[in-house]
Amino acid sequence: MASRLKPEAAPVALTALFHNVRALSVALAAPLSDADATAQSMPDASPAKWHLAHSSWFFETFVLRDHVPGYRLFDARWPFLFNSYYDAEGPRHARPERGLLTRPSLGEVLSYRAHVDAALLRALPDLPPPACALVELGCHHEQQHQELLLTDILHLFSRNPLLPAVWDTARSDPAPEPGPLRWLAGRAGLVEIGDAGVEGFAFDCERPRHPVQLQPHLIADRPISNGEWCTFIDDGGYRRPEMWLADGWAWVEREAIFAPLYWQRDGHDWMQFALDGLHPLRPGAPVSHISYYEADAFARWAGARLPSEAEWEAAAAAQDPLEGNQLDRAEPVRPRAAAASDGLRQMFGDVWEWTGSAYLAHPGFRTAPGAVGEYNGKFMCGQFVLKGGSCATPRGHARASYRNFFYPHQRWQFSGVRLARDI
Amino acid sequence: MASRLKPEAAPVALTALFHNVRALSVALAAPLSDADATAQSMPDASPAKWHLAHSSWFFETFVLRDHVPGYRLFDARWPFLFNSYYDAEGPRHARPERGLLTRPSLGEVLSYRAHVDAALLRALPDLPPPACALVELGCHHEQQHQELLLTDILHLFSRNPLLPAVWDTARSDPAPEPGPLRWLAGRAGLVEIGDAGVEGFAFDCERPRHPVQLQPHLIADRPISNGEWCTFIDDGGYRRPEMWLADGWAWVEREAIFAPLYWQRDGHDWMQFALDGLHPLRPGAPVSHISYYEADAFARWAGARLPSEAEWEAAAAAQDPLEGNQLDRAEPVRPRAAAASDGLRQMFGDVWEWTGSAYLAHPGFRTAPGAVGEYNGKFMCGQFVLKGGSCATPRGHARASYRNFFYPHQRWQFSGVRLARDI
Amino acid sequence: MASRLKPEAAPVALTALFHNVRALSVALAAPLSDADATAQSMPDASPAKWHLAHSSWFFETFVLRDHVPGYRLFDARWPFLFNSYYDAEGPRHARPERGLLTRPSLGEVLSYRAHVDAALLRALPDLPPPACALVELGCHHEQQHQELLLTDILHLFSRNPLLPAVWDTARSDPAPEPGPLRWLAGRAGLVEIGDAGVEGFAFDCERPRHPVQLQPHLIADRPISNGEWCTFIDDGGYRRPEMWLADGWAWVEREAIFAPLYWQRDGHDWMQFALDGLHPLRPGAPVSHISYYEADAFARWAGARLPSEAEWEAAAAAQDPLEGNQLDRAEPVRPRAAAASDGLRQMFGDVWEWTGSAYLAHPGFRTAPGAVGEYNGKFMCGQFVLKGGSCATPRGHARASYRNFFYPHQRWQFSGVRLARDI
Amino acid sequence: MASRLKPEAAPVALTALFHNVRALSVALAAPLSDADATAQSMPDASPAKWHLAHSSWFFETFVLRDHVPGYRLFDARWPFLFNSYYDAEGPRHARPERGLLTRPSLGEVLSYRAHVDAALLRALPDLPPPACALVELGCHHEQQHQELLLTDILHLFSRNPLLPAVWDTARSDPAPEPGPLRWLAGRAGLVEIGDAGVEGFAFDCERPRHPVQLQPHLIADRPISNGEWCTFIDDGGYRRPEMWLADGWAWVEREAIFAPLYWQRDGHDWMQFALDGLHPLRPGAPVSHISYYEADAFARWAGARLPSEAEWEAAAAAQDPLEGNQLDRAEPVRPRAAAASDGLRQMFGDVWEWTGSAYLAHPGFRTAPGAVGEYNGKFMCGQFVLKGGSCATPRGHARASYRNFFYPHQRWQFSGVRLARDI
């Protein structure tokens, strides 16, 4: 996780990065009331207020407390509240009870942010390189929480029978129809994946870069669309156990799953709840808010399979991770239909794409030293890798080697599916 | 539940009652932020905002909608949110999810209250007697929710590691020590209990008045104090199964119970969390926030038993239910030590007193007709009767025949214990 | 629980009682394989083998170990296995895991029984009165386990998709139709209930005898029949929340309850599973295997209520508890239609009758000293009283003051309902 | 899953295989009573009787019913009971309730086996190749259930406080001490793993053979021993969260894990429960009955990691899978200390070795057609691969490409750990 910004440029570039990241978080929370920012709709999600405070705690703890002499904690009782899962930082508030923290208020948390921002910007020019690396890490950490803030608030609002909109209106789609899905040849033979540690930021779990042998295969030019998903539903997709993994079918039956999250029937039509409220389903947009189980079942139904992480990453190597429908500003983001193109479409942005690869260590993986070593490694069990970023991922955060991971039943992220196929 | 106000006086008296009750609810919520008023700390509790809205829904539904021609609902989607448990009123929002209703906001709910108040005060002079009876019922209903609002917010704040105070400082105690407990002879032979339906309001479950044969017994002159409870703890009260009901002991072990709710150790001393924050335990005050299981175990340990409802009610018949430490205004209420007296002390106010009687129908009980018939009767199973009101009970709400009821494990109310003994 | 057999007659009468009780238990288990006798179908039930061993443990512990010098335990490791719930006897095997005790085998348990029988019969002539009282208590205790053995094995076999019969064929019914239900006047005014402690055995919870004031009421001449229950079902009894207690309705929805336990549809007809296998429902027989919730809902639907324990007991005082359809020998017992009669029918035998009274202490109740004091008192919470015995109750075990008790959702006993009504 | 026995030899070889496999199952169950064979100690385990019946159902259904004209089912009601998880075969008895099937008895199940054996041996000479392939599959299927029968019965007996032994005495160990652990160079570069489908039986999930690129690494010459595990415990292994995966630590805390399954303290010493009862822990034997979480934590504590499946399989390619401590006859098998050797030790037999690889499809994997296609593929989610077989694996069942799989918390198999290390 060492910073790979050039030493002399680091403080200036970091200052800009820090400033932009911190400002976007506050902007994302602007439409929220104190109550909106406090409630927690499920243990997997956190209150918006908590995201705002926890990302500040990260800077306060690992940079200001550890590297800035004389820094005084904003409130000595708050680290207990806003430590997420760092055992090395001691005991902490129980995650499922975050929604009971009506105090401190949203306003007090914003003051906390201002306090941390001022102290950090004051300290930044003189920070040693290891501390600069932690600032950079903290910015990328906060970007992750920006995406979670959006998906958590979407989940919260979806549980309110009034179905309130976070923002009034989304921009309209430039291209309502993605056109037919096409199969492209994937890279085969020995390929390299993972982060080489040479330029730009990457998390420890993306490293080291290493060779992987791939078999010949095809990969779809774009993710599956809502309209294609409707065909799956109409064909009994959620009622036929032969489509499903055993765990997936048990989940379908136990949870009475019948469609992607946030879909609901309106007579014969489907509606989808989004950050701008309830709207008719857009058939051309990529399907989102599906679990691994659903992605896998769809692929089996379609006579295909999910791409492996290495297949996906090898295919994405030639794509620009800064393009695509990603998060630029505070607005009601949503996946949009792919524009026409001959090559791979929507590898970055729109929806995270489930791969068929478990989230495990790359060969030679080493955790970062210290408490931040708990960042990624201890979650390498039971989860699957998603690639590519979504409409809620801050632009600049994702890259080909980026590894997102969730449990196979989780689907409150903007998660979708791109198919692959053996040749 | 028919009003027993004199017909001609009813509107005037009702107007005053309605005005006072509605104003007190708003005053109780004044120290709460939007977030405080939204959170729900357990399924048994409700958000303060919900109490404010539900008590308004009661008037809107059963009085304005049903008895005031031309009344328009404030928002047609809200009855789904704010119906508590009236099956006859149709489906409703799931109780354990009330804390997810960040919208409508506290401000919008206060507007709802103002709308209902204005409509009801406009309509009141012309309401027919059955509607007036429902207004009166609605006022007593709201008083119940005032007490719940206080106990629910106390519970919520207790789950915040910062242990915030709802109000800054409670008034100091007039009498810190209640003096030794004395045993008084209870009434024996044939006594009458229950409400006769002649004067004053009473809930349906208090009726009819009926004779009960009582055996000779003694009743304690006051509830058990915190100091006496400490002796029980020090004698291994929470570690000796022979003191406990089988269900109670299972509860102690499952929940790791070691003291009344809101008690915590500070070295060798006990602290108690209250509406004005964390304070050293006041040994002279009645113990509160104990379950039926605890009350029963203490009684067994003390070689005594709980009074039956009839014993308690017969003893209370000569007491003034308007006296004692009850809720008069928005402040951090708490049980206080009894003042010296030769007779029964603290029968009304301070703490609800668990009786050894199950909450079941009085002989000849009839539920009220219509949806309000669901008010009391359908809960007559598995709960125990508590008598006398507490420091959080609005003055004027309780009376000797009043029947409060909770499950034996519940203890977030101001619940305490008075002993009785066979002769 | 002191014996009230005449001192000089006690050993002889006790010997006969002991011999008969012990023999019947073994006979009841005769159709069972080792596996049948080992399995446990739910935490509420126990394996037949466990009943056989536990009832022997009771004699071994409280009589042989405590009162017979030189007695050696059959196996010193078994008390841990076969103590049910006596905390004073130390830790014990977890109740829900009784079905994992494949060893000792049924044969070994029968050897244990023979060992205890021989030792006890040898010691009986010289036992002091307190020990004789414990032998008598042990016999009545074992009779309770005989009924449980039958109802537990019925439940176990009902969970086997093959629906095996315990015994081949039941005797046919003498009277298939009970005729219309009639209402009889109950006793009103001051009545005495409970056991006076003068003659015959009674459990501690039946004492002391005490006066109760009853209001005028009617009581049905017989329990509700299966045919009448069908009418309730056909009228939407299980689909209309207004019939139900709140806890009851939650139970109906959570457990998807649609009929009494052991009923299943065969096209338009109902079948009932019983100790002799699956048979068409007998409409004239009393409904059995219903919960308190169902009994209460039926009563409300019928415009009636359940009798109180005192009403039932006062009515039963003039009945002979030795009559009726009770357990005499090892056979597939079941409730049978009432024979014609002008007075109360089927007060004893056929089905236990839910009363509307909670199982609580009679005024002046004292638990027996020692470990057997845990027999009844510690269960006085959350349960309701059932009266009168069933077809599975050993004849001679029940009496008017007898108090059976179960939680309101439990229904694997032969539990039915007799209605009452206010005048 | 097509048979790769030479066509002309197939019937003869198959007959011998079938005969031997079927006989061993019955021998393994010989020490069990009807009750022992009926009980189910947890949902993950099945009754011995069920294993005996289910493995017969497999032959009856997929061979006799589908390929032998005129075959009559032994009992048409039994397929519902003994289908495990084949959705294509229709609904089936709930897995967690298998222990309630006291009927059919063990004797009846043995009759079922005899019936199936006779019919199959009669039909075998004339079976077409696809049916022969299913017989072969059925034999390997039954071998899996033999191992489960042993581990399930071990678990059942461990839950009995009497800790009964299944067999009286195990053979003594030839070599009590394995000597120090040594590190050997693993194979690096492009290797091939998986089954090529050329000779011998393999399950569908082992195919196809495919190339994998391996990084340089070391692999331990033998599994970790009980004695080495004691050092981990003594160093606080179960009390230090930094050793554990997040899911693993949550499991340790939730389940109060403090040692491998079947270990218990006797003062300062450890005892281990096994098929021959409770014995002092043998420090030289490989640790067994550990979860993936524990294996992973030990590896982290030791500064090492788990081998990947490909690393393990590449290393095992030169080993003889028929050697080692595997199941040959009905006896109380257990892991034994490794004999001295310069190369890899105990790759086959003794304990299954957790790998760091998720159980997912090999590239190009195709499920078998028909119901047996549910055999392996639908479990490819959330589980980890174990390699090498154990002391309870029938000799001849395992091979280098064999893929066993369990969830990371499961540990009732003979599961152990071999370490690997990056260079």
Side-chain angles (χ1 to χ4, degrees), chain B residues 136 190 386:
Chain B
E136 193 181 17
L190 208 60
L386 301 101

Side-chain angles (χ1 to χ4, degrees), chain B residues 51 89 131 140 183 246 327 336 353 383 416:
Chain B
H51 288 300
E89 289 294 324
H140 291 272
W183 293 97
L327 179 68
R336 294 166 185 279
E353 301 179 12
Q383 309 201 45

